[in-house]
Structures are given as C-alpha cells and as structure tokens.
Amino acid sequence: MTNEEALARWRTSSSLLLAGLVLLLTACVAEEEASPTERATTQQSSQRDQAVNGQVQEEPLPQEQQPESSVTEAPDPHEQLLARLTMGDESDSGIEYEREDYQPGGWADTHRDECNVRELVLIAEALSISEVNQDCRPIDGVWRSWYDGEEFHNPSDLDIDHMVPLAEAHRSGAARWPAQRKARFANDYGFPAALTAVSAASNRNKSAQDPAEWRPPSRSAWCQYAHDWIAVKLQWSLSADRDEIGALREMLDTCPSDYARLPEFPERRPTVIHLQPQQSDGNPAADAGGTSDKTYASCDDAQAAGLERNTGSNGRGRGFPADAVPSARDGDGDGVVCER
C-alpha cells in the first residue's frame, strides 16, 4: 500500500469516528432537553415493554386512607348498672328455705316505742294519715299501691312486700348467712327500696318470683321496680341469674329518657311519730280543754301548729278537741279526735 492510500484510509476512519461522537453528543443533549412529561411517557413505555417480557412487576397502587371517625357511641347506662350485679345460677347450697329462719317472730320491733317494721313502713308510705293509735297502728289514711295503681284507705288491705322475696334471696346467696344477718335483711327498714307497702293482691300474686317470672301489673312501675330490685341485690351482695338480668334490662328500657334514680335512698321519716300516752289527772272535761277558737283542716295541720293534745273521756290516748278539727272523726263521742 502506498503512502497516499494509507493516508486516505486514515482520513476515512477518522471521519467515521468523528461522526459517531457527534451523534452521541446530539442524543444526550436531546434527552436533557426533553420535558418531564416526555421522559415519564418514555419510562412508562419501557416498563410496559419489560413487564410483557416478565422482567418487571408493577407495584400495587396505594389504598386510599379512610379518615378515622371522631364519633364514639355513648355507653348504655343500663348495661353499666346491670354489669354491677354478680351473675350466678340460683342455689340453696343444700339448705332448705324456711321463712322462720328470716322472720322468726314476724315483723321486728324498732327503736320507736310500740312500733314494728310493718307499722313504720305504713306510716312512712302513706300519702296522708290522720290517726295512729297508741300501739302505733295506723287507723286512718290514704295509700297508693304503686305496683297496680290501686288506692286504699284501710291499712289492712295492704301488705309489706320484700322487694327481693326472702326465698329468692335464699337462692341468691343468703342461704349460708348467719341467723342475725337473715333477720336484718327481712326487716331492712332503713333501706327504703327493700320494703314497700302495696296491695295484698299484688304482693301475694308476686309471691317469691323474680322479674323473669313476675312484673308489676302497672307497666309504669317497671322502671322503678327494676332499679329498686337491683339496688337491694347490690346492697346485700346477692347474685342474679341470666334470665333475671335479661328481664331487668327489658324493664329498664321502659324508663323515660329523663329518669334519674337517686344515688342513695334517704332515711325513712314517718309523717306521724308515735307519742307515748300521758297520764290523765282524772278530769276528762279539763283534759278535753273545751272549745277552740281556731279550726284546722286536719289533725296534721293541728299537730304542725302546735295545738295541745288532750285526753278524752273514753279514749286511752290524747288527741285534739273535736271542734278544732271538724273534719276528723270522733268515733267514741268524747269530744277528742285523732287520739294516740
């Protein structure tokens, strides 16, 4: 090869190399000047091509985040109350129920002279009462049996109901109590929910049944009845079975939306307090005190006004002059009414 031919070949190779470098630089500049959209489109096309060939797996799209709810449901107050009860099946622990174990002598005497538990409940729950004899027995008054809405004027038509019957308490944990605790439960005058004056018919129809088996005839009484039943069981740590709790829940559902149960029951305060009869000086006319220059609508009003009590000629107790309380009954005709 001559020198001229070698020089010509070198020039040709150099020209080709220079042309390749120019094309490479042009491509790089073009890629840098491409818009972000164009580059993304090119990249997506490349990824699709690679996916078809099994080289790339597409990442799943992120799930849309759901906003957390700021609303929380308010707890059911009935459930909170029922949850305080100890659930358990009824059992007498092998100890046969005997009413005499709870009330060996009937209604217990109280700290008030001559008054037993029955008499104080009657006095405390009377809508009005005008006469209590010297043995603390109400003679005349008005009572309303809240189980059935019936009204009574004769206390003999009323029974004192154990809210939680003695036999029910026996099956709910009281069977193993000592005798003294059983007697306190049966005569729990200090806790008003425990004992209540109701019609003899409703009390005897209820017998020893729990709310799953018996409810007051008046549906309007269900709310208070359920609250009182629960209060007594909690007070005395007595258990409740599943059916009983279900029935209590249904009764609580009848409570008005604005119903508010007192957190603590107040102490019973009888409207009429028994007074020991005072000795007479033997002069009924002087004791009767003659006529009064003022009259009162009832013996309660006379008592509240501080009118002096007198001893009549036939009665053993002391009362008010009949002409001072013209509405009161003078059964023995001795000129003195509302004698105690």
Side-chain angles (χ1 to χ4, degrees), residues 241-263:
D241 62 40
R242 188 177 302 277
D243 290 342
E244 177 185 341
I245 291 177
L248 289 169
R249 180 181 292 107
E250 292 177 3
M251 296 172 74
L252 290 172
D253 286 342
T254 67
C255 292
S257 59
D258 58 349
Y259 180 82
R261 173 181 170 271
L262 294 176

Side-chain angles (χ1 to χ4, degrees), residues 66-277:
Q66 297 294 330
E68 294 184 1
S69 175
S70 59
V71 179
T72 57
E73 294 185 0
D76 186 342
H78 300 162
E79 293 299 330
Q80 290 181 352
L81 179 61
L82 291 169
R84 297 174 59 192
L85 290 169
T86 300
M87 183 180 293
D89 294 332
E90 291 186 349
S91 171
D92 63 5
S93 300
I95 303 172
E96 186 177 356
Y97 167 71
E98 295 287 348
R99 188 180 182 90
E100 286 295 311
D101 292 339
Y102 292 82
Q103 283 187 305
W107 293 108
D109 292 332
T110 70
H111 64 284
R112 297 185 186 277
D113 293 336
E114 307 298 333
C115 298
N116 65 23
V117 169
R118 169 185 165 82
E119 291 160 350
L120 287 189
V121 173
L122 286 171
I123 293 172
E125 295 197 354
L127 297 181
S128 65
I129 193 167
S130 58
E131 190 172 355
V132 175
N133 71 8
Q134 62 183 16
D135 295 324
C136 197
R137 286 185 300 175
I139 302 301
D140 185 39
V142 179
W143 290 265
R144 180 171 293 114
S145 169
W146 62 282
Y147 284 2
D148 48 24
E150 298 291 331
E151 188 171 291
F152 299 91
H153 296 265
N154 187 345
S156 298
D157 295 329
L158 299 162
D159 279 356
I160 305 303
D161 178 43
H162 290 94
M163 174 56 61
V164 174
L166 300 180
E168 163 69 17
H170 187 82
R171 298 187 298 265
S172 303
R176 293 189 174 279
W177 287 354
Q180 188 177 16
R181 182 174 176 83
K182 288 179 178 179
R184 288 202 307 270
F185 174 80
N187 294 278
D188 189 7
Y189 171 78
F191 192 60
L195 300 172
T196 186
V198 295
S199 67
S202 63
N203 179 55
R204 294 166 196 182
N205 183 258
K206 170 184 175 180
S207 187
Q209 300 176 92
D210 71 17
E213 302 160 322
W214 186 90
R215 303 176 190 185
S218 176
R219 185 181 176 87
S220 62
W222 286 10
C223 178
Q224 180 184 339
Y225 189 87
H227 276 284
D228 287 0
W229 181 281
I230 294 170
V232 174
K233 287 224 160 177
L234 292 176
Q235 175 79 358
W236 287 91
S237 301
L238 296 170
S239 63
D241 62 40
R242 188 177 302 277
D243 290 342
E244 177 185 341
I245 291 177
L248 289 169
R249 180 181 292 107
E250 292 177 3
M251 296 172 74
L252 290 172
D253 286 342
T254 67
C255 292
S257 59
D258 58 349
Y259 180 82
R261 173 181 170 271
L262 294 176
E264 295 181 2
F265 289 90
E267 180 185 358
R268 289 188 191 272
R269 298 188 180 277
T271 55
V272 175
I273 299 176
H274 172 71
L275 298 176
Q276 283 279 45

